[in-house]
């Protein structure tokens, strides 16, 4: 009996890349198509990102900053009597302009730090003028240290040494600014009371802050790292 040759059917051509992607996109998992999962996930991501940025901007206004009486009745009342609030040019630097970084990464870190302020709001740590006065020096030293180690980053959103026209300044201011620039000084070294009243013994407290500027715990060291704080430079330029 002669062997019968079996001829195999030709293999179907492999679908192209676009066809394979299209089939995968609409192929079901246990319950849903991958396409539906991706579309819903993308939409959820857009909603989350939009909500996150909305919250960032909503909490980055002067109205939000003074929505608690601790700020409105104390430091904000002082700030209203300074040139940063009202001046001949009408250019204002509001609370977030001076206390919240502009760039996104540093801003997020600052917002996370602010959660500690909410914690003390609940505790009522400074809910009376007497409590605020008792803590004021320590609060000021925290702000001074942050500005010193970041080269007064928020001040430099408006004020930059290399953009100053010294000839247009008063002679004393011109000389001091040029000397400070040459010595590696930063704005907060001379302008601690520019927008708020200085607490008693402020100068001694500022020098004490400089003496111990690198003596901080691990959490503050992490914050310094995330904020690109240059503690060594701040310590050297005293």
């Amino acid at each position: 009996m002669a062997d019968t040759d079996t001829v195999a059917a030709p293999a179907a051509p492999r679908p192209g890349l676009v066809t394979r992607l299209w089939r995968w996109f609409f192929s079901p998992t246990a319950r849903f198509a991958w396409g539906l999962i991706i579309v819903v996930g993308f939409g959820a991501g857009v909603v989350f990102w939009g909500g996150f940025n909305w919250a960032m901007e909503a909490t980055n206004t002067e109205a939000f900053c003074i929505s608690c009486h601790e700020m409105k009745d104390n430091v904000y009342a002082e700030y209203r009597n300074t040139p940063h609030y009202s001046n001949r040019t009408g250019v204002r630097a509001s609370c977030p302009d001076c206390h919240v970084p502009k760039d996104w990464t540093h801003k997020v870190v600052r917002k996370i730090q602010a959660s500690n302020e909410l914690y003390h709001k609940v505790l009522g740590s400074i809910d009376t003028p007497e409590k605020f006065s008792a803590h004021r020096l320590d609060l000021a030293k925290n702000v001074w240290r942050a500005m010193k180690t970041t080269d007064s980053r928020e001040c430099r959103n408006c004020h930059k040494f290399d953009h100053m026209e010294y000839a247009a300044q008063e002679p004393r201011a011109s000389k001091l600014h040029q000397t400070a620039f040459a010595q590696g000084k930063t704005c907060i070294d001379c302008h601690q009371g520019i927008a708020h009243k200085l607490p008693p013994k402020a100068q001694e407290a500022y020098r004490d802050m400089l003496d111990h500027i690198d003596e901080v715990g691990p959490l503050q060291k992490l914050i310094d790292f995330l904020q690109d704080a240059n503690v060594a430079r701040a310590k050297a330029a005293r």
Side-chain angles (χ1 to χ4, degrees):
M1 183 175 177
D3 293 335
T4 303
D5 293 335
T6 303
V7 179
R14 188 184 184 194
L17 177 62
V18 174
T19 301
R20 296 200 308 272
L21 287 174
W22 184 263
R23 289 177 179 175
W24 172 84
F25 193 76
F26 287 103
S27 63
T29 61
R31 295 186 62 182
F32 303 105
W34 282 112
L36 179 62
I37 294 173
I38 292 173
V39 170
V40 171
F42 179 79
V46 170
V47 171
F48 171 79
W49 187 249
F52 179 80
N53 279 281
W54 174 85
M56 288 276 285
E57 293 305 315
T59 59
N60 204 44
T61 63
E62 186 175 277
F64 179 82
C65 293
I66 61 172
S67 59
C68 63
H69 78 89
E70 289 89 344
M71 294 297 100
K72 185 176 182 180
D73 297 341
N74 294 297
V75 290
Y76 180 71
E78 299 169 359
Y79 153 74
R80 285 171 58 90
N81 295 316
T82 69
H84 276 99
Y85 181 84
S86 179
N87 54 68
R88 62 183 177 80
T89 64
V91 178
R92 287 186 63 213
S94 64
C95 308
D97 290 326
C98 295
H99 294 285
V100 181
K102 296 293 185 183
D103 54 291
W104 192 84
T105 303
H106 298 144
K107 181 187 291 186
V108 170
V109 175
R110 180 66 187 92
K111 293 296 183 181
I112 294 173
Q113 284 181 270
S115 62
N116 183 57
E117 296 165 16
L118 296 176
Y119 171 70
H120 284 284
K121 167 68 176 177
V122 173
L123 291 182
S125 300
I126 55 172
D127 60 353
T128 66
E130 294 76 20
K131 290 181 182 179
F132 180 80
S133 296
H135 290 282
R136 179 164 192 156
L137 196 58
D138 290 330
L139 295 171
K141 289 171 72 174
N142 290 337
V143 175
W144 294 339
R145 184 186 183 279
M147 288 188 167
K148 178 65 175 175
T149 56
T150 58
D151 196 18
S152 302
R153 181 163 45 213
E154 283 67 64
C155 299
R156 294 182 188 280
N157 288 327
C158 297
H159 307 284
K160 295 180 175 65
F161 277 136
D162 53 351
H163 292 172
M164 287 184 178
E165 187 177 347
Y166 297 114
Q169 298 177 355
E170 294 181 0
R172 180 173 177 271
S174 175
K175 181 179 179 180
L176 289 173
H177 282 145
Q178 292 181 71
T179 300
F181 178 72
Q183 294 178 350
K185 299 286 188 179
T186 187
C187 309
I188 197 61
D189 284 317
C190 300
H191 297 287
Q192 295 117 33
I194 195 67
H196 305 293
K197 291 180 180 178
L198 287 173
K201 299 182 179 180
Q203 295 303 313
E204 295 90 333
Y206 192 78
R207 287 194 294 270
D208 180 70
M209 181 275 295
L210 292 177
D211 290 339
H212 304 283
I213 198 166
D214 57 347
E215 299 174 14
V216 296
L219 179 57
Q220 183 59 55
K221 288 181 179 180
L222 175 61
I223 293 172
D224 289 344
F225 172 76
L226 295 174
Q227 288 284 20
D228 291 331
N230 193 333
V231 179
R233 179 187 182 279
K235 187 174 181 179
R238 293 171 55 184

